[in-house]
Every structure is written in C-alpha cells, then in structure tokens.
Amino acid sequence: MPDYLFPPSPVTGLPIKGQASLFPVRRVYCIGRNYAAHAVEMGHDPTREHPFFFQKNPDNLNASGVFPYPPQSSNVHHEIELAVALHSGGRDIAVDNALQHVFGYAVSLDMTRRDLQAIAKKAGRPWEIGKASENSAPIGPLVAAANIGHLSQGKVELLVNGTVRQTGDLNQMIWKVPEIISFLSMYFELAAGDVILSGTPAGVGPVVRGDRLEASIEGLGLLLVQVS
Ligand code: MN
C-alpha cells in the first residue's frame, strides 16, 4: 500500500444477487439515443448513425434505493436503462466475442438534469453537468449472466407513483449490447469493473421530491427508488 497523502476514496461496490461479493466499479459509460422512439421525443432523427457516449462517475452509481433531488435544477428526468457490467475487457472487441466480457445485468436509472443538459447541448458543451451529478445512477442488484443468460429482449417499464411513464422492449435498441461493447472498445480500453448504461426507451419526464419510482426489466425484477 503506497503512502497516500490522505485516504483514497473507497471503490464503489455494487450488490450481486445471490452473492456476498460486491462488484467493484471502474468506469461508467452511457450511450445516448439508443431507442428510436426516445430519439424522436428528444427531437432527433432515429437513424442508425454512429452511437455516441458520455460518462458518469463510478461513485454516481447508487444502490441505496433513495435518489436525493440534485441541486441547481428544476427539471430532473428519469431514464430507465439496462446496465451491463463487464468482468473483463480489452481493445477492438469483435461483436461476436463481446458477450463473453459481460458479467451480468441490472436495472438502472440515468437521472438527468434536463434543463442543464439542454443549455449544454445548445452551447455545444459537454453533458456532464446534466448527467453526472451525485447519486445520478440509481441501480438495482446485478444479476449474473451465468444464472439468467444474456438479455436481448424483454419488457422495460418505469412507473412513477403507480402510473406508467416509460415502456419499451430491450429488442428496440438501435445498437445492441454486443455492438455497444465492440464500438466502445474501438475508442477506449474496456476492463473488468466497467458498467455500461445502454439507453432509454420513450417516455422520459420529470420527477419531484416524494415520487416513488418502480423500474423493471423482464428477467431482472424491480428497482424501487424514492426521490427525496
Ligand atoms: Mn440515458
């Protein structure tokens, strides 16, 4: 152990269903506009243009079940997403080999300060101020692919206070999970501990303090999040 000036920040560890070990997080990548209907609702053409990515910070992942409403925004949106957790990685991974790097999956939320993101978009600035706030990625327990297989279809649904807000199916992704991994690995060296948020279906909208979010993906179960 090196002699650090002060104690290093702890590694973010995600719970794994049925295992005592935590999944240690390295990086968090997020893909934008990966469901056609969501691209349209945000005012974009849903053609299969090259995917684009932004990042959140590892410690933005939040398995507490509570989402503290972030500061400096009055328009914070929910985006339900399939999270993909890698147990290995590399560069220039072929689509056909990509799934071997996937440890498992979880239900997650890409909580977005939409007002700040809109200002950034308009000014041609990076998105982190809208996307990478504290606790901005609520996530449920990881479920190992070894137990449930790989997910390429299944219902995706988000309810707010019992009302359905977002609905879709994993099979509506423009870029499929193996393609996302392959594409990312052309630009970044992927590694064990990386988590990829794979985009959101249509129906994004604002939350307020006191809201109760019920996020579910077929095969993974339910993630309950209270906005506080
Ligand atoms: Mn998103």
Side-chain angles (χ1 to χ4, degrees):
M1 183 81 172
D3 177 25
Y4 290 114
L5 183 62
F6 50 83
S9 299
V11 170
T12 299
L14 300 179
I16 302 168
K17 193 175 176 184
Q19 290 189 29
S21 304
L22 298 176
F23 179 91
V25 178
R26 175 177 177 262
R27 294 181 184 170
V28 181
Y29 296 100
C30 308
I31 184 169
R33 288 174 215 141
N34 199 31
Y35 288 74
H38 173 61
V40 170
E41 76 178 347
M42 297 303 289
H44 296 279
D45 179 354
T47 51
R48 199 172 141 95
E49 58 185 13
H50 272 182
F52 69 93
F53 298 89
F54 57 91
Q55 285 176 260
K56 293 195 187 230
N57 300 298
D59 67 345
N60 295 157
L61 289 168
N62 162 15
S64 71
V66 175
F67 173 68
Y69 198 93
Q72 301 295 329
S73 177
S74 57
N75 191 21
V76 175
H77 278 204
H78 53 74
E79 297 188 357
I80 183 175
E81 314 214 354
L82 174 71
V84 182
L86 306 186
H87 57 186
S88 57
R91 292 178 177 161
D92 298 322
I93 296 167
V95 171
D96 288 347
N97 297 330
L99 289 179
Q100 73 188 43
H101 299 289
V102 174
F103 167 75
Y105 302 92
V107 181
S108 66
L109 293 165
D110 167 15
M111 300 304 292
T112 301
R113 291 192 283 208
R114 192 72 77 202
D115 42 5
L116 300 189
Q117 185 200 24
I119 292 167
K121 277 185 182 179
K122 196 174 173 187
R125 292 177 186 150
W127 285 10
E128 279 67 26
I129 201 165
K131 289 290 195 180
S133 56
E134 311 312 324
N135 300 295
S136 61
I139 188 165
L142 287 169
V143 182
N147 295 336
I148 59 161
H150 291 285
L151 300 180
S152 58
Q153 58 181 8
K155 188 176 184 183
V156 179
E157 188 174 67
L158 179 84
L159 282 68
V160 179
N161 303 326
T163 302
V164 177
R165 288 271 195 90
Q166 289 191 262
T167 185
D169 193 291
L170 295 175
N171 67 15
Q172 296 166 338
M173 285 186 194
I174 297 171
W175 296 92
K176 310 302 182 192
V177 170
E179 294 173 319
I180 295 171
I181 293 168
S182 178
F183 195 90
L184 265 176
S185 75
M186 291 162 46
Y187 294 88
F188 300 99
E189 182 165 358
L190 298 178
D194 290 349
V195 175
I196 302 167
L197 271 54
S198 56
T200 196
V204 301
V207 299
V208 296
R209 287 189 177 88
D211 279 350
R212 176 184 164 85
L213 312 186
E214 296 171 65
S216 63
I217 295 176
E218 197 175 333
L220 296 177
L222 186 63
L223 166 65
L224 292 175
V225 176
Q226 188 74 35
V227 181
S228 70

